[in-house]
Amino acid sequence: MEMLISVALGQVLSLLICGIGLTSKYLSEDFHANTPVFQSFLNYILLFLVYTTTLAVRQGEENLLAILRRRWWKYMILGLIDLEANYLVVKAYQYTTLTSIQLLDCFVIPVVILLSWFFLLIRYKAVHFLGIFVCILGMGCMAGADVLVGRHQGAGENKLVGDLLVLGGATLYGISNVWEEYIIRTLSRVEFLGMIGLFGAFFSGIQLAIMEHKELLKVPWDWQIGLLYVGFSACMFGLYSFMPVVIKKTSATSVNLSLLTADLYSLFCGLFLFHYKFSGLYLLSFFTILIGLVLYSSTSTYIAQDPRVYKQFRNPSGPVVDLPTTAQVEPSVTYTSLGQETEEEPHVRVA
């Protein structure tokens, strides 16, 4: 049951991304509103209004000013990474093909795996790599279906530039997701979202003023465009607010595998909204990715590290843990996904 919940939570995120993609498509193609930075700016403002203000009214070490004194430069870097990851992938659509973007965007998965391995000390089993392979195979199947049915491929005017933009965006996404997992496990979801809202709004506002103010003036404002911007902002805010919950329940790797189905949800909606051609390979791709997700979620990843670090990772605000000195302590092993734990933590003495 917990494995199915894990898969279902990831699909909620995919549906939110589907909503983001559909509203962006209507804005850019039907109303010629090419404003990716402005759209990000709206989302960061919402995060600022909800989460940054929440931090501002808190007391003690969780107060906004206290957090900024200790970690302001780290969140400044993270805010820049998050903003530019969104910008690079959206910009790539002007240069390369849709198929290339779908395939190269999968580069985020090995980035997340490597960063999780070295920085979060997460260890994987053979079944996890099998599940990842099956998911990527499903993405390849979808890209092949796009070619066969002649689905709109994008401009493709400077493919190398576009492909490099996608790879850069995927790398930044991977860094952002792993950093997010670390923060929400060691600190808090509200702190992460509040700091992203603060620095994301600041940097996107500067980028908007420099690079996109002319495009914004060209937007033919009416109630339909306003409604699309509201819909986009609602989906984006929901994605940012809900993703930390799912990452903490599963992992950054599991979330990124789940998001592979987002393109397929957009396609299924496009069959009715934009009259896309249908191919049975799309259904095959969808179920192949779901099978890969089930395989990945069927067993647990684990963290092997020093018990003192592990305790701080699990409960950073708890009491100090004093390790026994009379015997050698084996590294702690704990499972991080939704499988059941099979080993106990080492015995520790609380001071």
Side-chain angles (χ1 to χ4, degrees):
M1 178 59 71
E2 289 185 341
M3 179 185 67
L4 296 178
I5 292 175
S6 171
V7 174
L9 290 174
Q11 296 316 292
V12 172
L13 297 178
S14 279
L15 288 171
L16 288 170
I17 290 183
C18 172
I20 292 167
L22 290 176
T23 50
S24 294
K25 182 177 176 64
Y26 273 117
L27 283 169
S28 62
E29 295 189 4
D30 291 12
F31 297 96
H32 307 290
N34 298 307
T35 56
V37 179
F38 176 65
Q39 290 164 232
S40 294
F41 178 72
L42 292 176
N43 172 57
Y44 290 128
I45 287 295
L46 287 176
L47 293 175
F48 177 87
L49 292 175
V50 174
Y51 297 105
T52 310
T53 54
T54 300
L55 293 176
V57 298
R58 285 184 171 180
Q59 303 297 319
E61 293 300 306
E62 294 184 348
N63 178 263
L64 176 63
L65 293 179
I67 294 170
L68 286 173
R69 279 197 297 268
R70 294 195 306 271
R71 296 184 284 272
W72 67 270
W73 64 273
K74 297 178 183 178
Y75 284 117
M76 182 183 70
I77 295 172
L78 181 58
L80 263 177
I81 289 173
D82 188 77
L83 171 65
E84 298 310 322
N86 291 321
Y87 179 76
L88 289 178
V89 173
V90 172
K91 193 71 175 176
Y93 281 91
Q94 299 179 18
Y95 299 100
T96 190
T97 63
L98 177 63
T99 303
S100 291
I101 291 174
Q102 290 171 340
L103 291 176
L104 293 175
D105 203 33
C106 294
F107 185 67
V108 68
I109 294 172
V111 172
V112 169
I113 291 173
L114 287 174
L115 292 177
S116 297
W117 182 283
F118 288 109
F119 293 101
L120 301 184
L121 302 180
I122 292 177
R123 299 295 179 256
Y124 302 90
K125 302 175 184 176
V127 68
H128 296 121
F129 292 108
L130 177 61
I132 292 167
F133 174 77
V134 172
C135 286
I136 295 177
L137 188 65
M139 282 298 296
C141 183
M142 182 181 70
D146 283 343
V147 173
L148 290 176
V149 302
R151 187 179 168 198
H152 176 62
Q153 296 292 297
E157 295 174 353
N158 197 335
K159 197 169 183 300
L160 178 60
V161 172
D163 291 348
L164 291 175
L165 288 174
V166 178
L167 290 174
T171 302
L172 294 179
Y173 271 131
I175 295 171
S176 176
N177 287 166
V178 173
W179 204 337
E180 177 179 355
E181 180 173 358
Y182 176 79
I183 291 171
I184 62 177
R185 291 189 187 280
T186 59
L187 298 169
S188 76
R189 166 180 169 268
V190 174
E191 178 174 328
F192 169 76
L193 293 173
M195 292 296 100
I196 283 290
L198 176 63
F199 287 104
F202 176 74
F203 287 119
S204 62
I206 294 174
Q207 192 165 337
L208 173 64
I210 295 173
M211 302 177 60
E212 212 172 78
H213 64 281
K214 292 182 180 179
E215 286 292 332
L216 196 58
L217 293 174
K218 295 177 183 177
V219 175
W221 292 97
D222 60 20
W223 68 271
Q224 290 177 306
I225 290 182
L227 195 61
L228 286 171
Y229 275 117
V230 169
F232 174 90
S233 301
C235 290
M236 195 69 133
F237 179 77
L239 177 69
Y240 270 70
S241 297
F242 190 51
M243 184 177 282
V245 177
V246 183
I247 286 180
K248 191 169 185 178
K249 189 80 172 173
T250 57
S251 68
T253 304
S254 178
V255 164
N256 278 282
L257 290 173
S258 298
L259 296 184
L260 294 178
T261 57
D263 286 330
L264 287 163
Y265 289 128
S266 298
L267 171 76
F268 295 147
C269 292
L271 294 173
F272 302 98
L273 298 175
F274 311 116
H275 307 292
Y276 289 157
K277 293 181 180 178
F278 178 74
S279 170
L281 287 177
Y282 288 127
L283 284 178
L284 177 62
S285 173
F286 180 74
F287 288 111
T288 300
I289 292 174
L290 287 183
I291 290 171
L293 287 173
V294 170
L295 281 172
Y296 184 90
S297 303
S298 63
T299 189
S300 302
T301 56
Y302 62 94
I303 297 173
Q305 60 186 57
D306 182 85
R308 186 188 300 273
V309 178
Y310 170 60
K311 275 294 180 183
Q312 293 175 352
F313 187 83
R314 285 284 298 273
N315 186 20
S317 61
V320 177
V321 177
D322 186 15
L323 296 178
T325 57
T326 56
Q328 183 177 2
V329 180
E330 294 297 325
S332 168
V333 177
T334 182
Y335 290 92
T336 59
S337 63
L338 295 179
Q340 299 205 352
E341 298 186 4
T342 58
E343 296 188 31
E344 297 182 352
E345 299 176 26
H347 294 291
V348 295
R349 178 169 60 84
V350 179

